[in-house]
Amino acid sequence: MDQIKLELPSVEVMEAAFRGRDASFDGIFFAAVATTGIFCRPSCPARKPLPGNTVFYATAAEALFAGYRPCLRCKPLFSSDDPDWLRELVARVESEPRGRIKESELKSMGLDPATVRRRFKSRYGMSFQAFQRARRLASAFEAIKEGGSIDDAVFDHGYDSHSGFRDAFAKLFGEAPGKAAGSDYIRLAWIESPLGPLVAGAVDRGICLLEFTDRRMLEAQAEALRLRFRLPAAPAPHALLERLEAELAEYFSGSRREFDLPLLEPGTPFQERVWAALREIPCGETRSYGDLARALGDPGAVRAVAQANGRNRIAILVPCHRVIGSDGGLGGYGGGLWRKRRLLEIERHGH
Ligand SMILES: [Zn+2]
């Protein structure tokens, strides 16, 4: 899940490039269409969706991990200098996303597993095994999908939610572990908001997760949490989660500007400095990645700052949405740019 979040052009520029099939933007961003669950290159010849239905990603890997399938027409996972074996391998995963190609099979195909791992790492930012896992997750979402209408409502308007999401949530995260599974686990809650549902996680020492979600992303988030904390995660009540829900309701109604909750967000020392700096940006204001790098006393670290910003796991409370592109454009946002725009509006003007 640790994909590099590059700075993206403004959403207006990307919308225009995608609609205009502008090939000069190929490789700069990928466009995922919420209503179809498919992601494309900007130049894709297929019919374009209505404005507002598109989510933009800096890398194909991010789109993949968010649960989108690569378009069959513009084949966004390939580039012209990919070796044939890589294309064949990716095509094989595509044709059978639920399968699992083991190392022994790679060898019998005449491929060196170490070379495959290195190439996938540099090309997609993840190992071949992780690549296959991402595809399996995406296809699992197809299976639990009840139909497009619920997703459409949430994505198109952002002001709707549905109990179907809650059911999917319970299904994916499973039951609370019994005593035998160990006493410590991450308590998860599903929190409704005017910008769509959020998934929140807490341990006794603090809130450790708050991310906008949709059903496509749930399983990937569950997997990432388990890996990050090496703890099981399951839906369960917790006093911190109740306080979080109450404070968020006040925030969205415009009556709260700061949160009063312990946070637990372990990272590298650099990431932790960046996340601490994010919390210094006053509500209602924004900073560029460059501003943040200078505030940290390291003006050359713009890219590293952007990367750490993209890896923040506690949305809103660690306000990564207050960092925008140096051109004044919105930049990127894991929860979707329309949400970033709305959060900034709420903070600037109240509800
Ligand atoms: Zn396409």
Side-chain angles (χ1 to χ4, degrees):
M1 290 300 286
D2 282 348
Q3 300 312 318
I4 297 167
K5 287 244 169 39
L6 302 166
E7 233 176 307
L8 287 168
S10 74
V11 69
E12 291 78 13
V13 166
M14 290 190 288
E15 288 272 11
F18 188 40
R19 305 198 75 70
R21 302 182 164 87
D22 187 341
S24 67
F25 281 86
D26 282 0
I28 309 276
F29 70 86
F30 295 85
V33 182
T35 44
T36 59
I38 289 170
F39 75 98
C40 288
R41 300 170 193 281
S43 64
C44 182
R47 206 160 54 87
K48 303 290 170 156
L50 295 172
N53 282 332
T54 317
V55 187
F56 297 102
Y57 293 97
T59 64
E62 283 174 85
L64 205 61
F65 249 115
Y68 291 95
R69 284 173 289 131
C71 170
L72 294 173
R73 292 193 63 181
C74 64
K75 300 186 168 58
L77 289 175
F78 296 131
S79 90
S80 53
D81 56 354
D82 288 335
D84 287 343
W85 66 259
L86 184 88
R87 289 166 172 273
E88 278 163 30
L89 214 47
V90 171
R92 216 175 123 179
V93 175
E94 280 312 303
S95 68
E96 237 178 292
R98 281 156 195 276
R100 195 184 303 247
I101 301 169
K102 301 206 179 76
E103 281 204 354
S104 54
E105 260 177 281
L106 292 177
K107 283 181 194 148
S108 71
M109 293 161 75
L111 296 171
D112 168 29
T115 307
V116 171
R117 194 179 313 118
R118 253 199 320 277
R119 189 79 189 207
F120 269 78
K121 264 280 191 220
S122 70
R123 184 72 181 76
Y124 302 111
M126 62 180 94
S127 70
F128 179 54
Q129 294 308 323
F131 182 90
Q132 292 192 84
R133 202 160 52 237
R135 285 303 290 123
R136 275 201 301 278
L137 292 179
S139 80
F141 280 111
E142 297 299 309
I144 63 163
K145 236 177 117 173
E146 292 167 354
S149 60
I150 299 162
D151 293 37
D152 290 358
V154 171
F155 273 96
D156 290 349
H157 308 293
Y159 301 102
D160 200 355
S161 189
H162 193 280
S163 63
F165 284 96
R166 205 187 291 274
D167 297 343
F169 177 72
K171 211 180 283 174
L172 281 173
F173 285 101
E175 298 295 316
K179 283 216 167 71
S183 58
D184 204 9
Y185 68 101
I186 301 167
R187 270 76 169 173
L188 296 170
W190 181 254
I191 297 176
E192 312 264 331
S193 90
L195 301 190
L198 290 141
V199 56
V203 290
D204 289 338
R205 285 194 291 149
I207 301 291
C208 59
L209 176 81
L210 184 65
E211 281 178 14
F212 285 105
T213 192
D214 62 78
R215 274 187 292 172
R216 269 189 206 104
M217 291 161 68
L218 270 178
E219 195 166 339
Q221 285 165 334
E223 180 77 13
L225 252 190
R226 290 183 181 119
L227 288 174
R228 279 161 186 164
F229 285 88
R230 298 185 187 285
L231 284 176
H238 194 280
L240 286 176
L241 293 172
E242 280 168 33
R243 274 172 57 196
L244 176 64
E245 187 164 8
E247 292 195 12
L248 280 171
E250 291 165 3
Y251 167 84
F252 281 111
S253 73
S255 66
R256 173 178 286 276
R257 302 188 58 83
E258 277 172 31
F259 292 87
D260 180 27
L261 285 162
L263 305 183
L264 186 69
E265 189 170 33
T268 65
F270 182 77
Q271 286 173 333
E272 291 184 4
R273 280 175 63 213
V274 172
W275 296 333
L278 290 174
R279 298 176 71 188
E280 299 294 315
I281 306 173
C283 185
E285 295 182 20
T286 56
R287 300 282 185 273
S288 70
Y289 296 112
D291 293 337
L292 216 54
R294 276 188 296 277
L296 290 168
D298 198 351
V302 175
R303 194 185 152 88
V305 164
Q307 230 174 293
N309 195 59
R311 289 181 190 174
N312 172 38
R313 296 183 289 274
I314 307 179
I316 304 176
L317 279 63
V318 177
C320 55
H321 61 279
R322 291 180 196 154
V323 184
I324 60 173
S326 50
D327 60 351
L330 273 182
Y333 192 55
L337 286 172
W338 65 273
R339 289 195 176 104
K340 183 172 185 173
R341 189 180 296 124
R342 277 296 292 140
L343 290 172
L344 293 175
E345 281 168 9
I346 289 168
E347 295 181 354
R348 226 175 282 132
H349 310 296
H351 184 54

